[in-house]
Amino acid sequence: MRRPRTLQERKELGVRIGANAYVYLLLFLMYVPVLALVLFSFTGSVNFGTWSGFSFELYVTLFEDEEIMRALGNTVILALLSSFCSVVLGTLGAVGIHEWRRRSKSLAEALTQIPVVTPEIVLALSLVIMFVFLGNYVYKGFGLSFWTLLIGHICLSLPFVYLSVKPKLLQMDPALYEAALDLGSTPRKALYQVTLPAILPGILSGFLLALTLSLDDFIVTSFTRGAGLLSGAQMIETISTLVQARIKKGPLPPQMRALTTLIFLFVILVVVLVTFLMLHKRKGKRHAERRNA
């Protein structure tokens, strides 16, 4: 690599070095606490920051804690169901709005962006008011339950799924869908065989985003939850509500370090797998284009 000779080249090199140093500093500040959490999950010390020797004790006691396992099960079931429903509704909504006329389309896109910038407490309170109204004036037996909690999580993540799918629809060549119709495909068949495969990366991104929002949500969960799921007749506890309840009583249980480590490693695994599948798909598409050329 040759050395910069002119003053302009030196300035550009200094800017690149400064930009790279800034990015690496941000990554360092972001991941050092997570790595510290992972490290101290392999010691049996109750106090965080105190090393008492390498041990899997926290992982053993984690799976023996029935309350944490029940909360984890509730969290996973709720996250998967709400993410699936959000992806289906958000994808269909994005495809439908994409085919609208310009004025109606602009209005719908503006309305879908409002929940994204609205504080979560506003969403939670509005949902509670709606559920209370339904219970008092529409159906007397209606009350807070798993279904109200599921609706709350769907309302929370649905706009983000729409925003993930929308750019892929804009990037897709509209002539592909029209060509499929000209070749004899029905609109439904063209949707499944042409549109959905083209926007699949956006759908996967929306699913992962919805899953993340549901896993760590607290405000909507605490306002809309009722009895059900693995909690039976008791109030549904998720990881976020359980942590808040444990903190009220005393220090955070050390088993949570092991749990958060497992969640972190699982998220990394999912991201790596999705990235690998997307790269493999792009590579196959390039090979197909070369063969056709």
Side-chain angles (χ1 to χ4, degrees):
M1 181 179 180
R2 72 179 186 87
R3 295 181 179 180
R5 297 178 180 178
T6 64
L7 180 60
Q8 182 65 25
E9 289 179 345
R10 292 177 181 176
K11 288 183 178 180
E12 292 178 356
L13 179 61
V15 170
R16 286 199 300 268
I17 293 176
N20 291 335
Y22 177 73
V23 171
Y24 288 130
L25 177 62
L26 289 180
L27 292 175
F28 177 80
L29 295 176
M30 288 173 57
Y31 284 101
V32 161
V34 178
L35 295 177
L37 185 68
V38 173
L39 176 63
F40 283 97
S41 68
F42 292 101
T43 184
S45 176
V46 177
N47 298 322
F48 182 78
T50 303
W51 184 264
S52 60
F54 185 84
S55 172
F56 288 98
E57 179 182 351
L58 294 183
Y59 291 89
V60 175
T61 56
L62 169 65
F63 290 101
E64 293 176 350
D65 194 319
E66 296 182 0
E67 189 177 14
I68 295 179
M69 289 294 99
R70 186 163 52 248
L72 177 62
N74 290 335
T75 304
V76 172
I77 294 173
L78 178 63
L80 291 176
L81 287 177
S82 62
S83 300
F84 176 77
C85 295
S86 298
V87 165
V88 173
L89 296 176
T91 302
L92 293 178
V95 173
I97 293 175
H98 183 70
E99 299 298 328
W100 283 7
R101 295 180 179 179
R102 181 173 298 180
R103 290 184 178 180
S104 302
K105 183 178 179 180
S106 300
L107 177 61
E109 289 179 351
L111 292 176
T112 55
Q113 293 179 8
I114 293 177
V116 177
V117 298
T118 302
E120 195 173 335
I121 186 67
V122 176
L123 174 63
L125 287 174
S126 62
L127 287 172
V128 170
I129 292 174
M130 181 185 70
F131 295 147
V132 171
F133 175 81
L134 291 176
N136 291 336
Y137 300 102
V138 179
Y139 181 67
K140 296 296 183 181
F142 186 84
L144 297 180
S145 63
F146 161 71
W147 300 108
T148 59
L149 179 58
L150 179 63
I151 292 173
H153 278 238
I154 293 174
C155 293
L156 175 66
S157 56
L158 182 58
F160 293 92
V161 175
Y162 171 82
L163 293 177
S164 298
V165 176
K166 173 187 169 183
K168 295 302 178 182
L169 287 170
L170 296 176
Q171 295 173 5
M172 189 184 70
D173 187 359
L176 295 176
Y177 181 80
E178 296 175 359
L181 296 179
D182 293 338
L183 292 173
S185 295
T186 62
R188 179 178 297 179
K189 191 174 181 180
L191 174 65
Y192 289 137
Q193 295 185 351
V194 177
T195 304
L196 292 183
I199 63 175
L200 183 60
I203 296 175
L204 293 177
S205 299
F207 178 80
L208 292 177
L209 184 57
L211 190 69
T212 303
L213 289 171
S214 178
L215 286 174
D216 65 355
D217 177 74
F218 172 75
I219 298 178
V220 173
T221 302
S222 60
F223 275 76
T224 59
R225 62 181 177 143
L229 281 182
L230 302 180
S231 300
Q234 299 178 352
M235 186 75 69
I236 295 175
E237 288 284 2
T238 62
I239 293 298
S240 59
T241 58
L242 179 63
V243 168
Q244 194 266 351
R246 291 283 184 95
I247 291 177
K248 281 185 176 180
K249 298 178 181 178
L252 187 66
Q255 295 90 336
M256 288 297 177
R257 303 203 297 265
L259 177 60
T260 51
T261 298
L262 293 176
I263 294 175
F264 176 70
L265 295 177
F266 174 76
V267 170
I268 290 179
L269 178 62
V270 171
V271 171
V272 170
L273 288 176
V274 171
T275 304
F276 175 78
L277 291 176
M278 293 175 64
L279 292 176
H280 182 71
K281 183 179 179 181
R282 290 178 184 175
K283 188 176 180 180
K285 187 176 180 180
R286 291 174 183 173
H287 286 314
E289 291 176 352
R290 291 175 182 176
R291 288 195 302 268
N292 295 332

